[in-house]
Amino acid sequence: MFRHFISFATIAAASFIINESAAQQLSFQGLQVAPVSVVPPATTGLNEVFVFPYTEGATAIFTAAEPGQTISWQRFSSLGGGYAEPVASTQNGLESTLQKLEGDMGYIITAGSKSYYYWVTDYSNHRLWFADLNLNAAESDCSTSWLEVDGQGPRITYYSITGVPQTLSRELQLTQLWPMMKPRQTICRLSRPSHWKVST
């Protein structure tokens, strides 16, 4: 069991949060919710990791930096980029479109003489489930409260271009409704490894 120290008793929600940034050359269509972008360590060889709520129906569009560049796509699994296989795409001018984007796969996009490396995560395969949330009255007092949370979720693993497994960290943001505070004001942020089977 582990515990998180919280200075208020009433918790309204917990949200999955990853730092967002905009991709300059790769965009997506077909979903109501945009993917979250994560900048991975340089040692992975990846330009970016995208976390989708789900990838079904998603289309990827790569825009070349210069006219006349031929764009090709390859896909790789946990084996790494050395085992990448070509995937069909269509090109119209500067834009190349991949109609069927698969989750939990890596992609190598080559435009002219330059290649770009991405990993696409389908979050629907890695959901975090909460079973229970309780106040530990025995260890709480008038000024502080201890919360005990039961939950579990699989590790969110992605792979470098050499096939080395990496883990995306989950960050949980706790918000509350409190008479003296604005609704949904953040009161603390929890960071845990991505593999959960916990009693908090």
Side-chain angles (χ1 to χ4, degrees), residues 40-48 76 115-118 159-162:
T43 53
T44 65
L46 298 169
N47 295 89
E48 215 157 357
F76 65 92
S115 294
Y116 304 85
Y117 304 87
Y118 303 97
Y159 293 86
S160 72
I161 61 173
T162 57

Side-chain angles (χ1 to χ4, degrees), residues 12-13 15 173-178 181-187:
S15 303
Q173 179 176 303
L174 302 182
T175 59
Q176 72 162 10
L177 297 176
W178 190 260
M181 302 174 66
K182 295 180 180 179
R184 297 187 60 80
Q185 180 171 346
T186 299
I187 58 176

